[in-house]
Amino acid sequence: MTHPHRHLDAKPIDFWLARGAILIIVGLQLGLVNDLTVGPRWLAPSIELALLIPLSIATAWTQKTAQKASAESQWHLLGRERRMVRRLAIALTFVSTLMNFGALAQLIQAILSGHAGTGRTLLLDAVNIWATNVVIFALWFWTVDRSGPAARGLLPEEEADFLFAQYQKPIDPTQIERWIPGFVDYLFLAFTNATAFSPADTFPLTVRAKLLMMTESSISFITIAVVASRAVGILN
């Protein structure tokens, strides 16, 4: 007998959007004007693409297998595959986070030492680092919430990490249960958190969600307050 929670909730378009987000991060890393990369300029993009390829294949395989699974042994195998996909996704996002924070640290060091280049290049790199930060944390939010997209519908739902506005509407409860946040919802959450430095219409419920939002806001604040303001000062 198939358990009622075992069905596919994650939409394929969200996985494609997440893959596109990684490619955007790679493009932004290659587009840094100053030499701010950790290691050679090709190192971070190469690691990210090397993780993205097996992650995409494993995700597609898991989703395809889930459509045909019926026996308990098949669901057990899917659970193990799901954990592998989740670890790969976390590793990929962690590498991107580390590289972007390293670029910000190097840029601040260059500013303090007086070797940060012109105001224009500083501003361009600040915008680059800020935009990369938003995309990275959209991936973080998408990856950790409700045990991750690869597990939604395959395993019992874990406690939600974020309270979306759709869950707060006084509407039919069955409609609330059917609504599943997509990648764009997490991108919006990351964008508003990076601009307002606080939740907009979505609130963190767990410790890990709060820590992630605090980290994103801190990186965003440092980028705007230190780097961008210094660039505007030079231009003026």
Side-chain angles (χ1 to χ4, degrees), residues 35-98:
D35 186 16
L36 304 173
T37 57
V38 178
R41 187 175 288 265
W42 52 264
L43 179 62
S46 298
I47 295 174
E48 289 158 355
L49 292 176
L51 289 171
L52 177 61
I53 293 173
L55 176 59
S56 300
I57 295 173
T59 301
W61 174 263
T62 300
Q63 298 303 101
K64 184 177 180 180
T65 305
Q67 294 174 348
K68 302 177 181 179
S70 58
E72 189 66 30
S73 59
Q74 292 175 310
W75 289 113
H76 179 72
L77 179 60
L78 275 172
R80 291 197 303 175
E81 292 176 353
R82 188 274 308 178
R83 286 188 287 273
M84 178 191 68
V85 170
R86 182 175 171 80
R87 292 190 190 104
L88 275 175
I90 291 176
L92 175 55
T93 312
F94 178 78
V95 168
S96 300
T97 306
L98 189 62

Side-chain angles (χ1 to χ4, degrees), residues 204-222:
L205 299 177
T206 61
V207 172
R208 63 184 179 186
K210 293 174 182 178
L211 290 174
L212 282 173
M213 292 188 72
M214 287 171 59
T215 303
E216 185 199 10
S217 295
S218 300
I219 295 174
S220 178
F221 178 78
I222 293 172

Side-chain angles (χ1 to χ4, degrees), residues 60-226:
W61 174 263
T62 300
Q63 298 303 101
K64 184 177 180 180
T65 305
Q67 294 174 348
K68 302 177 181 179
S70 58
E72 189 66 30
S73 59
Q74 292 175 310
W75 289 113
H76 179 72
L77 179 60
L78 275 172
R80 291 197 303 175
E81 292 176 353
R82 188 274 308 178
R83 286 188 287 273
M84 178 191 68
V85 170
R86 182 175 171 80
R87 292 190 190 104
L88 275 175
I90 291 176
L92 175 55
T93 312
F94 178 78
V95 168
S96 300
T97 306
L98 189 62
M99 294 300 180
N100 194 53
F101 183 78
L104 176 60
Q106 290 197 50
L107 188 54
I108 293 175
Q109 183 180 10
I111 291 174
L112 295 177
S113 62
H115 302 291
T118 66
R120 180 177 177 274
T121 61
L122 267 179
L123 190 58
L124 288 173
D125 282 341
V127 171
N128 187 315
I129 291 171
W130 184 89
T132 304
N133 186 50
V134 170
V135 178
I136 286 174
F137 277 90
L139 289 168
W140 270 120
F141 299 153
W142 186 63
T143 301
V144 303
D145 189 27
R146 297 174 179 271
S147 72
R152 288 175 200 157
L154 303 183
L155 295 174
E157 289 277 325
E158 293 184 2
E159 180 183 354
D161 290 89
F162 298 99
L163 178 63
F164 285 89
Q166 285 82 350
Y167 292 117
Q168 304 175 57
K169 290 182 179 179
I171 59 177
D172 185 356
T174 60
Q175 295 295 323
I176 296 177
E177 291 176 0
R178 283 200 294 268
W179 186 84
I180 299 296
F183 183 78
V184 175
D185 297 295
Y186 297 104
L187 180 61
F188 177 76
L189 170 61
F191 179 82
T192 55
N193 189 51
T195 51
F197 309 118
S198 63
D201 63 347
T202 303
F203 301 95
L205 299 177
T206 61
V207 172
R208 63 184 179 186
K210 293 174 182 178
L211 290 174
L212 282 173
M213 292 188 72
M214 287 171 59
T215 303
E216 185 199 10
S217 295
S218 300
I219 295 174
S220 178
F221 178 78
I222 293 172
T223 305
I224 295 174
V226 178

